[in-house]
Amino acid sequence: MKSSSLKILLIEDNQPIARQLIEFFEARSWQVDYAHNGTLGVSLALSEPFDLIILDLGLPDIDGLTVCKQIKSESPVNIPILMLTARDAFEDKAKGFNLGADDYVTKPFEFRELALRCEV
């Protein structure tokens, strides 16, 4: 994946975290679309091309695991999904990977590590 041209969909309900991530990614010249809930996230993911989806699990309307499963089953292309969440138990990680997540990062996180994971 070319880091200079990444188009990311961020699905995150925590406004301060979302704002920090958007600023960080835009400083890297990455394009970021933002959804504050799962319903909007699924809609955007299925209607526009993205290089990567960064997905929180604790969303207000639809759990992120359900969002992941829906995107993976309905999208005509395989969009990589990186789960970014405070859920750090092995069982949560296993569920995420079993439902199609390509990577899993727990909060708190280091921005540089997140960027590295987005680039590979």
Side-chain angles (χ1 to χ4, degrees), residues 1 5-11 25 30-33 45 48-55 71-72 78-83 102-103 114-120:
M1 209 176 289
S5 62
L6 280 182
K7 183 175 179 184
I8 297 172
L9 173 58
L10 175 62
I11 307 173
F25 291 143
W30 295 351
Q31 181 182 345
V32 183
D33 284 353
E48 297 184 35
F50 291 98
D51 297 310
L52 173 69
I53 295 171
I54 298 178
L55 173 62
I71 292 170
K72 287 294 187 172
N78 183 21
I79 307 167
I81 295 178
L82 184 154
M83 290 187 172
D102 298 279
D103 202 352
L114 184 61
L116 179 65
R117 290 173 182 255
C118 291
E119 292 172 329
V120 295

Side-chain angles (χ1 to χ4, degrees), residues 89-100:
F90 173 80
E91 292 77 15
D92 292 316
K93 294 175 185 179
K95 283 180 191 174
F97 284 117
N98 287 330
L99 290 174

Side-chain angles (χ1 to χ4, degrees), residues 1-115:
M1 209 176 289
K2 294 182 181 178
S3 63
S4 62
S5 62
L6 280 182
K7 183 175 179 184
I8 297 172
L9 173 58
L10 175 62
I11 307 173
E12 168 68 63
D13 67 318
N14 183 303
Q15 296 289 327
I17 290 174
R19 192 170 21 261
Q20 289 178 335
L21 286 167
I22 291 167
E23 288 174 6
F24 178 77
F25 291 143
E26 287 180 345
R28 300 178 79 81
S29 298
W30 295 351
Q31 181 182 345
V32 183
D33 284 353
Y34 172 63
H36 65 280
N37 63 45
T39 303
L40 179 58
V42 169
S43 177
L44 289 171
L46 297 177
S47 65
E48 297 184 35
F50 291 98
D51 297 310
L52 173 69
I53 295 171
I54 298 178
L55 173 62
D56 184 24
L57 294 185
L59 299 170
D61 59 343
I62 305 172
D63 184 83
L65 293 169
T66 303
V67 170
C68 179
K69 182 178 178 182
Q70 190 172 352
I71 292 170
K72 287 294 187 172
S73 67
E74 295 180 23
S75 177
V77 296
N78 183 21
I79 307 167
I81 295 178
L82 184 154
M83 290 187 172
L84 181 63
T85 180
R87 296 184 196 172
D88 61 357
F90 173 80
E91 292 77 15
D92 292 316
K93 294 175 185 179
K95 283 180 191 174
F97 284 117
N98 287 330
L99 290 174
D102 298 279
D103 202 352
Y104 196 107
V105 176
T106 56
K107 298 173 184 175
F109 59 92
E110 186 173 334
F111 284 92
R112 293 179 305 159
E113 179 183 355
L114 184 61

